[in-house]
């Protein structure tokens, strides 16, 4: 009996000990969960404070830029009051890291129980101040009414801000754009285009020019060339693809799509109307969606034209038309009018013996007198520098007014000492074996009311399209009015020759013709633009950021802050 009592006592003790262990474990688990919950709350509070601190700093920066028009030299740490009377507990861990107009913000949020949370944001300001200028140079070839590309030279882009042009690695921002309503873009040559094509009207591809980008049109698109197109084809009209044209992307039309011969579409085909295959070799590698029907007109019923899914009587989303833009966004006639009021010296700048070399600075015009008893540089007093508002209504610039400018044969024109502006109330011509040299810190801006011609073996020095001050090194603004799209009457802009031309051409009321075997580094805008020969055009993407018609004085205004990343 005593033995049994001993066993019972041990059993009771073991059970009691087990219950105690379970109770202590439950207590410890409860306490651990409570600590975890507190840590989570503390972490959440710290993270919330860090995020709120980032927002507070961004708002403070935006207010400072709006008030001063300048990027702040130091990062503020504003106090943030909560509705209950408390504050957001955070701190800036270091001064901002600036890269141009981009700043890195690092904020540490603080919470209970010594909780810490680090938050970062990368923000960008649109500019140091408010600028009212426009950016007219957004493509390699821009035309109000008509683009006719009949040449064989490559059309591509590069960015002079990151390096010089590399023919082995062409950029793909050489966009061809129609600006006026109901324009026409026609590719009749075999020049490869490394960019997109935008037509406000019709697009025709009859030559073998490969387009390494997308094609957009408001009107009908007809592609009859047997060549490759690297992007998508999108139109608010109808689309016809024939011969052995090969589309690497997808095609979409608000109207009908007609695919003939051995044309191939590697992507999808989407039509608001019907999709029709007229030959056995036509293919769509993916899907076909039609608002109407999908059919073929030949008799071989075994041919499968669509390798993916075919859907008829669907409701595809319509394509938006290419929006027309202002052909003259800077208002060129207003500048010509203000220059026309300048007093004139009735002087023509002409290179001829004994003065074939001219140097123009903002201070004066000088020439080299090659007469045997002179042989020296002398100031040409017949050319008077005058002061006028150019693209800056707040400041005056030096302007030279000429009746004509004519450099031919062995003429030499040098621009140095800063920005030089010419108003040529007549013709501007540099041809033959003439040379133009522009210093790296200088620029030449020419306003012309007559014919502009750069031809022959004319050559330039090796300069960037946009100089160190962010200004086009050589810009031509032609105000010639031309109603007809053909011929050169009354006058226009002609660029030809076999040399290198660094120029930005702005001629919204006249034709611009580029021919020959040379190269253009820059951009061309005209009423109509025609490209022939095997000359090459290289668009400098830095031109896309050049603003024209803006004041040089920064003024305060609404600051725009872009949040690039956050974590």
């Amino acid at each position: 009996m005593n033995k049994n009592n001993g066993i019972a006592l041990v059993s009771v003790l073991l059970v009691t000990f087990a219950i105690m262990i379970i109770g202590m474990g439950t207590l410890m688990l409860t306490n651990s969960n409570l600590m975890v919950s507190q840590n989570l709350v503390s972490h959440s509070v710290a993270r919330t404070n860090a995020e709120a601190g980032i927002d507070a700093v961004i708002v403070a920066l935006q207010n400072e830029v709006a008030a001063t028009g300048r990027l702040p030299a130091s990062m503020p740490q504003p106090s943030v009051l909560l509705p209950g009377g408390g504050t957001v507990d955070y701190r800036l861990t270091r001064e901002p890291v600036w890269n141009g107009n981009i700043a890195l913000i690092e904020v540490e949020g603080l919470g209970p129980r010594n909780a810490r949370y680090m938050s970062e944001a990368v923000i960008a300001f649109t500019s140091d101040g408010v600028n009212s200028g426009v950016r007219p140079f957004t493509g390699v070839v821009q035309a109000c009414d008509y683009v006719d590309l009949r040449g064989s030279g490559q059309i591509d882009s590069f960015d002079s801000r990151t390096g010089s042009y590399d023919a082995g690695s062409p950029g793909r921002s050489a966009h061809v754009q129609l600006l006026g309503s109901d324009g026409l873009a026609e590719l009749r040559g075999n020049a490869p285009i490394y960019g997109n094509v935008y037509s406000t009207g019709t697009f025709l591809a009859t030559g073998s020019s490969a387009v390494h980008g997308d094609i957009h049109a408001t009107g009908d698109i007809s592609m009859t060339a047997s060549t490759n197109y690297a992007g998508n084809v999108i139109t608010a009209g109808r689309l016809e693809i024939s011969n052995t044209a090969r589309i690497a992307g997808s095609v979409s039309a608000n109207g009908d799509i007609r695919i003939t011969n051995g044309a191939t579409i590697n992507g999808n085909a989407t039509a608001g109307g019907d999709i029709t295959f007229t030959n056995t070799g036509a293919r769509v590698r993916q899907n076909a969606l039609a608002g109407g029907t999908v059919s073929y007109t030949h008799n071989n019923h075994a041919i499968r034209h669509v390798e993916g899914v075919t859907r008829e009587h669907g409701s595809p989303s319509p394509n938006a038309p290419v929006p027309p833009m202002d052909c003259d966004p800077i208002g060129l006639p207003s500048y010509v009018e203000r220059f026309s009021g300048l007093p004139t010296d009735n002087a023509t700048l002409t290179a001829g013996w004994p003065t074939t070399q001219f140097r123009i600075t903002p201070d004066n015009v000088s020439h080299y007198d090659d007469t045997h008893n002179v042989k020296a540089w002398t100031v040409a007093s017949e050319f008077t520098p005058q002061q006028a508002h150019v693209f800056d209504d707040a400041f005056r610039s030096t302007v030279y007014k000429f009746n004509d400018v004519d450099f031919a044969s062995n003429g030499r024109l040098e621009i140095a000492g800063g920005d030089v502006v010419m108003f040529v109330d007549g013709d501007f011509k540099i041809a033959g074996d003439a040379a133009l040299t522009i210093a790296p810190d200088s620029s030449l801006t020419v306003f012309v009311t007559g014919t502009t011609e750069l031809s022959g073996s004319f050559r330039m020095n090796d300069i960037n399209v946009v100089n160190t001050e962010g200004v086009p090194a050589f810009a031509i603004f032609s105000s010639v009015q031309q109603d007809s799209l053909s011929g050169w009457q009354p006058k226009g802009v002609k660029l030809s020759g076999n040399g290198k031309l660094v120029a930005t051409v702005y001629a919204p009321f006249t034709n611009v013709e580029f021919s020959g075997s040379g190269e253009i580094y820059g951009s061309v805008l005209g009423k109509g633009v025609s490209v022939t020969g095997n000359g090459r055009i290289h668009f400098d993407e830095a031109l896309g950021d050049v603003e024209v018609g803006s004041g040089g004085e920064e003024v305060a205004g609404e600051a725009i802050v872009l949040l690039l990343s956050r974590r």
Side-chain angles (χ1 to χ4, degrees):
M1 183 68 180
N2 291 334
K3 183 178 180 180
N4 290 337
N5 289 339
I7 293 174
L9 178 60
V10 171
S11 299
V12 170
L13 290 175
L14 290 174
V15 171
T16 303
F17 181 74
I19 294 174
M20 182 179 66
I21 293 298
I22 293 173
M24 292 180 63
T26 302
L27 181 61
M28 293 179 64
L29 181 60
T30 301
N31 187 57
S32 177
N33 288 337
L34 180 60
M35 294 179 64
V36 170
S37 298
Q38 289 176 336
N39 288 336
L40 289 174
V41 170
S42 298
H43 179 79
S44 179
V45 171
R47 179 171 183 172
T48 301
N49 285 339
E51 296 294 333
I54 289 286
D55 293 335
V57 172
I58 291 176
V59 171
L61 286 173
Q62 187 169 4
N63 291 338
E64 185 169 348
V65 173
T68 65
R70 298 288 191 275
L71 294 176
S74 60
M75 188 73 72
Q77 183 170 323
S79 298
V80 182
L81 298 178
L82 299 175
T87 59
V88 174
D89 196 3
Y90 75 98
R91 68 182 185 90
L92 287 165
T93 59
R94 63 172 177 173
E95 284 297 306
V97 179
W98 292 97
N99 182 10
N101 65 329
I102 299 176
L104 171 64
I105 302 172
E106 290 185 354
V107 168
E108 184 179 52
L110 308 177
R113 303 172 64 86
N114 295 321
R116 299 284 191 272
Y117 185 87
M118 182 69 70
S119 183
E120 294 180 351
V122 179
I123 61 173
F125 293 89
T126 54
S127 66
D128 291 349
V130 176
N131 204 317
S132 60
V134 296
R135 298 180 179 182
F137 310 116
T138 58
V140 62
V141 173
Q142 299 168 278
C144 186
D145 297 331
Y146 181 68
V147 171
D148 182 11
L149 303 182
R150 290 176 287 165
S152 59
Q154 183 165 296
I155 299 174
D156 54 24
S157 72
F158 71 106
D159 193 336
S160 62
R161 294 166 296 189
T162 60
S164 58
Y165 173 74
D166 181 3
S169 181
R172 295 175 180 253
S173 295
H175 305 316
V176 177
Q177 301 171 320
L178 269 297
L179 305 177
S181 59
D182 198 24
L184 171 62
E186 186 170 8
L187 308 185
R188 293 194 281 173
N190 59 352
I193 300 172
Y194 286 81
N196 300 331
V197 179
Y198 301 90
S199 175
T200 54
T202 304
F203 173 83
L204 304 176
T206 58
S208 56
S209 293
V211 178
H212 298 270
D214 296 333
I215 298 171
H216 301 259
T218 296
D220 294 343
I221 292 180
S222 176
M223 308 173 74
T224 61
S226 297
T227 192
N228 296 318
Y229 300 93
N232 302 310
V233 179
I234 303 168
T235 176
R238 297 170 297 180
L239 171 62
E240 180 173 356
I241 308 172
S242 62
N243 291 322
T244 57
R246 296 167 295 278
I247 313 296
S250 297
V251 301
S252 179
N254 289 355
D256 297 335
I257 294 179
R258 184 180 178 88
I259 308 172
T260 68
N261 297 331
T264 302
I265 301 167
N266 286 340
N268 301 314
T270 305
D274 299 330
I275 299 177
T276 304
F277 300 90
T278 63
N279 295 83
T280 58
R283 293 289 186 276
V284 173
R285 299 297 185 192
Q286 296 187 28
N287 306 319
L289 169 63
T293 61
V294 178
S295 62
Y296 54 88
T297 59
H298 55 81
N299 296 322
N300 191 339
H301 304 297
I303 296 297
R304 184 183 180 186
H305 292 284
V306 180
E307 298 181 5
V309 176
T310 298
R311 291 180 55 195
E312 298 181 321
H313 306 295
S315 300
S317 300
N319 300 316
V322 175
M325 293 181 285
D326 191 348
C327 294
D328 179 26
I330 71 170
L332 181 57
S334 64
Y335 295 99
V336 174
E337 183 179 357
R338 70 174 64 170
F339 297 144
S340 299
L342 294 175
T344 179
D345 296 320
N346 292 317
T348 297
L349 186 65
T350 303
W353 195 90
T355 53
T356 59
Q357 300 180 61
F358 283 79
R359 179 185 296 131
I360 304 180
T361 72
D363 298 323
N364 57 55
V365 177
S366 59
H367 52 61
Y368 185 82
D369 191 336
D370 205 29
T371 306
H372 72 281
N373 61 343
V374 180
K375 298 289 184 179
W377 285 92
T378 59
V379 174
S381 58
E382 66 269 27
F383 304 114
T384 306
Q386 304 181 61
Q387 297 297 309
H389 298 293
V390 184
F391 293 127
D392 186 343
D393 291 333
F395 300 97
R396 291 178 177 269
S397 301
T398 299
V399 178
Y400 291 95
K401 185 175 181 179
F402 303 108
N403 288 341
D404 294 289
V405 173
D406 188 358
F407 276 71
S409 186
N410 294 320
R412 301 290 184 269
L413 177 60
E414 178 186 352
I415 306 298
D419 299 326
V420 172
V421 179
M422 291 183 183
F423 174 59
V424 184
D425 200 7
D427 298 336
F428 180 82
K429 180 180 180 180
I430 303 180
D433 193 34
L436 172 63
T437 301
I438 301 175
D441 61 345
S442 302
S443 68
L444 174 60
T445 302
V446 183
F447 292 85
V448 190
T449 64
T451 300
T452 298
E453 181 178 347
L454 305 175
S455 61
S457 299
F458 160 72
R459 60 190 184 277
M460 292 184 65
N461 61 317
D462 190 13
I463 57 174
N464 286 333
V465 179
V466 180
N467 69 11
T468 55
E469 301 299 320
V471 176
F474 182 28
I476 300 172
F477 293 86
S478 172
S479 63
V480 173
Q481 302 281 337
Q482 184 172 7
D483 294 329
S484 173
L485 287 176
S486 61
W488 288 103
Q489 297 298 326
K491 294 175 180 178
V493 178
K494 300 182 70 173
L495 311 173
S496 62
N498 54 15
K500 174 182 177 180
L501 172 62
V502 178
T504 302
V505 178
Y506 185 94
F509 312 116
T510 188
N511 286 352
V512 179
E513 180 183 76
F514 173 53
S515 60
S517 58
E519 288 182 290
I520 291 182
Y521 290 78
S523 176
V524 176
L525 183 152
K527 180 180 178 67
V529 177
S530 175
V531 179
T532 61
N534 60 352
R536 298 168 297 282
I537 308 178
H538 314 298
F539 174 63
D540 187 352
E541 296 168 24
L543 283 170
D545 290 332
V546 172
E547 293 188 336
V548 176
S550 59
E553 181 181 2
E554 293 176 342
V555 295
E558 182 180 358
I560 300 175
V561 180
L562 302 178
L563 183 61
L564 303 182
S565 67
R566 186 172 189 163
R567 64 184 180 90

